Structure formats: structure tokens, C-alpha cells
């Protein structure tokens, strides 16, 4: 398990260092292959671009927590909060490869196989069985 200090750094640094790390939730372990950093201010794609709200509150810290949100009413998107309190930064997990729990991943992803299984942040959330709780 990575210590909180790993995440309590500049978002771009954390993003680079997350590639290749393992992500585990229940019976599923994935290797992170692609990420996307979101920083405040100045990043118009960042959920924090208009300031702190009830929805984006987890992105404002503390670092090391998950920020999961529902996209288009169907995709659970996993972000890992970075920087520190009050910074509004996180790294979206965009793509992974399975390490453990492949039968569970395939079941959650409609029995798909191959690269299409985990190429997209919504697919990663589905494979991990995430929800906004």
C-alpha cells in the first residue's frame, strides 16, 4: 500500500509515478497503464474549475483519497486525490491491465476479452466494481 505522502505531491509527479502501480479492490488487482492529471486553477477540464462544491469536495483533500464520480449517468470514474488540502487536484485512472481476478473483471465487463476490457476510465471503474458510495 502506498503511503499518503506518495499522493501529497504535485499532481503531475504523482500521475507519472502511478503508471505501473497496482490497484486493488476486492478480488481484482489491476496494473495502471494510463492516467490523466487534473489541477486547479487553470485546468478547464477539472471538476474544481469553479471552486469547491459538494460533488468535488473530495478533490480538495486530503491527498490519497479516492474521488469517484458518475459520468453520463453510467460510468464510475476513479480519481486519486493529490497535492494537499485545498488544492483541487486528482489523477484519473484511464486504463489498466488485469493482474488478478480476471474472471471477475470479465464478468463485470460483459464477458469481453483482450485490450478492450480495460481501455477507458469507465471500464476500469466497472471492472473494479466501484460506485459513488
Amino acid at each position: 500500500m502506498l503511503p499518503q505522502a506518495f499522493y501529497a505531491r504535485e499532481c503531475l509527479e504523482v500521475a507519472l509515478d502511478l503508471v505501473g502501480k497496482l490497484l486493488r479492490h476486492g478480488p481484482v488487482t489491476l496494473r495502471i497503464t494510463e492516467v490523466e492529471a487534473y489541477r486547479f486553477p487553470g485546468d478547464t477540464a477539472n471538476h474544481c474549475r469553479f471552486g469547491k462544491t459538494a460533488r468535488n469536495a473530495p478533490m480538495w483533500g486530503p491527498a490519497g483519497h479516492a474521488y469517484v464520480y458518475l459520468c453520463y449517468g453510467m460510468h464510475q470514474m476513479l480519481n486519486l486525490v493529490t497535492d494537499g488540502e485545498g488544492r483541487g487536484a486528482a489523477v484519473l485512472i484511464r486504463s489498466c491491465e488485469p493482474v488478478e481476478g480476471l474472471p471477475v473483471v470479465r464478468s463485470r465487463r460483459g464477458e469481453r476479452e483482450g485490450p478492450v476490457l480495460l481501455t477507458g476510465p469507465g471500464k476500469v471503474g466497472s471492472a473494479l466494481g466501484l460506485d459513488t458510495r
Side-chain angles (χ1 to χ4, degrees), residues 4-9 58 60-65 80-85:
Q4 186 176 15
F6 174 89
Y7 300 97
R9 301 179 293 139
W60 295 92
H65 286 228
L80 302 174
V81 178
T82 65
D83 290 45
E85 292 280 341

Side-chain angles (χ1 to χ4, degrees), residues 44-115:
T44 59
N46 186 342
H47 284 188
C48 297
R49 68 187 171 276
F50 298 121
K52 189 173 183 178
T53 66
R55 180 184 188 207
N56 70 28
M59 283 185 70
W60 295 92
H65 286 228
Y67 166 52
V68 178
Y69 69 91
L70 187 63
C71 182
Y72 302 124
M74 60 171 49
H75 303 292
Q76 305 291 334
M77 312 291 262
L78 173 62
N79 295 262
L80 302 174
V81 178
T82 65
D83 290 45
E85 292 280 341
R87 298 294 305 269
V91 176
L92 173 67
I93 307 302
R94 292 197 50 81
S95 183
C96 293
E97 61 186 14
V99 174
E100 292 178 5
L102 182 58
V104 174
V105 171
R106 289 192 63 234
S107 172
R108 290 175 176 167
R109 293 281 304 118
E111 299 304 326
R112 290 174 179 83
E113 294 186 44

Side-chain angles (χ1 to χ4, degrees), residues 117-130:
L117 192 62
L118 294 166
T119 54
K123 296 174 183 180
V124 171
S126 175
L128 290 169
L130 299 180

